[in-house]
């Protein structure tokens, strides 16, 4: 979700949103992610550990953003930020529950490093796609990649 934020400024421009409004849009995205993180415990109680819902929401968010570029389709990026806020807390809680305290700091550090490496690695091909395919098609590519990741996670996840 995080690398897709690099596409938003161009996406807003193509959607007709004036340049001066970009700052407010970015700030509101951060607020949405923060509120989502705060509400995670409540929503987790209702959804249970259905992480596939997060994955399908991610696919839906990218697909919605890729259907048409307009100021209104920017709402799909809000959905992606809800997922970002929820997912970060969900993953932190999972680490807290499943990892022994003696190695928890190491696991969290490795997770953080892996996230940063994945972020950096994702930006190069995503930038190439945006330059060569356009923003709308790049967002569709992200939806397809996300769908593939969800299917893979569902196939390899351990039985509970």
């Amino acid at each position: 979700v995080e690398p897709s934020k690099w596409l938003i400024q161009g996406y807003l421009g193509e959607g007709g949103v004036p340049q001066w409004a970009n700052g407010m849009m970015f700030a509101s995205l951060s607020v949405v992610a923060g509120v989502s993180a705060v509400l995670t415990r409540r929503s987790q109680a209702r959804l249970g550990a259905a992480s596939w819902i997060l994955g399908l929401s991610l696919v839906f968010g990218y697909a919605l953003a890729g259907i048409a570029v307009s100021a209104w389709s920017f709402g799909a990026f809000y959905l992606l930020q809800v997922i970002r806020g929820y997912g970060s807390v969900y993953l932190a809680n999972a680490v807290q529950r499943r990892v022994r305290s003696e190695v928890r700091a190491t696991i969290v550090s490795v997770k953080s490093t892996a996230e940063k490496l994945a972020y950096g690695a994702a930006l190069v091909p995503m930038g190439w796609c945006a330059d060569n395919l356009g923003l709308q098609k790049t967002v569709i590519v992200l939806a397809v990649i996300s769908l593939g990741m969800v299917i893979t996670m569902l196939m390899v996840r351990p039985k509970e």
Side-chain angles (χ1 to χ4, degrees), residues 125-153:
M126 199 167 58
W128 182 90
C129 283
D131 289 344
N132 294 295
L133 303 175
L135 291 173
Q136 190 172 2
K137 287 181 182 173
T138 300
V139 175
I140 294 292
V141 167
L142 288 171
V144 170
I145 290 170
S146 298
L147 181 60
M149 290 170 53
V150 169
I151 291 169
T152 302
M153 287 185 339

Side-chain angles (χ1 to χ4, degrees), residues 20-156:
W20 60 265
N22 283 349
M24 290 184 291
M25 299 294 263
F26 268 91
S28 66
L29 286 172
S30 294
V31 169
V32 166
V35 169
S36 172
V38 168
L39 297 175
T40 296
R41 182 175 286 297
R42 201 176 298 162
S43 59
Q44 225 176 1
R46 289 190 179 153
L47 295 175
S51 56
W52 61 271
I53 292 174
L54 280 177
L56 289 180
S57 297
L58 183 69
V59 172
F60 179 71
Y62 282 131
L64 190 63
I67 289 171
V69 177
S70 72
W72 293 106
S73 61
F74 182 72
F77 286 103
Y78 284 105
L79 174 62
L80 295 171
Q81 291 307 301
V82 167
I83 296 163
R84 180 179 144 229
Y86 182 90
S88 63
V89 174
Y90 181 82
L91 187 57
N93 286 340
V95 169
Q96 284 285 62
R97 284 190 314 271
R98 296 180 180 151
V99 178
R100 295 186 336 264
S101 62
E102 299 84 32
V103 294
R104 192 174 298 138
T106 302
I107 297 296
V108 170
S109 179
V110 168
K111 177 191 88 59
S112 177
T113 301
E115 285 174 351
K116 300 302 181 210
L117 288 172
Y119 179 77
L123 289 177
V124 174
M126 199 167 58
W128 182 90
C129 283
D131 289 344
N132 294 295
L133 303 175
L135 291 173
Q136 190 172 2
K137 287 181 182 173
T138 300
V139 175
I140 294 292
V141 167
L142 288 171
V144 170
I145 290 170
S146 298
L147 181 60
M149 290 170 53
V150 169
I151 291 169
T152 302
M153 287 185 339
L154 288 173
M155 290 172 51
V156 299

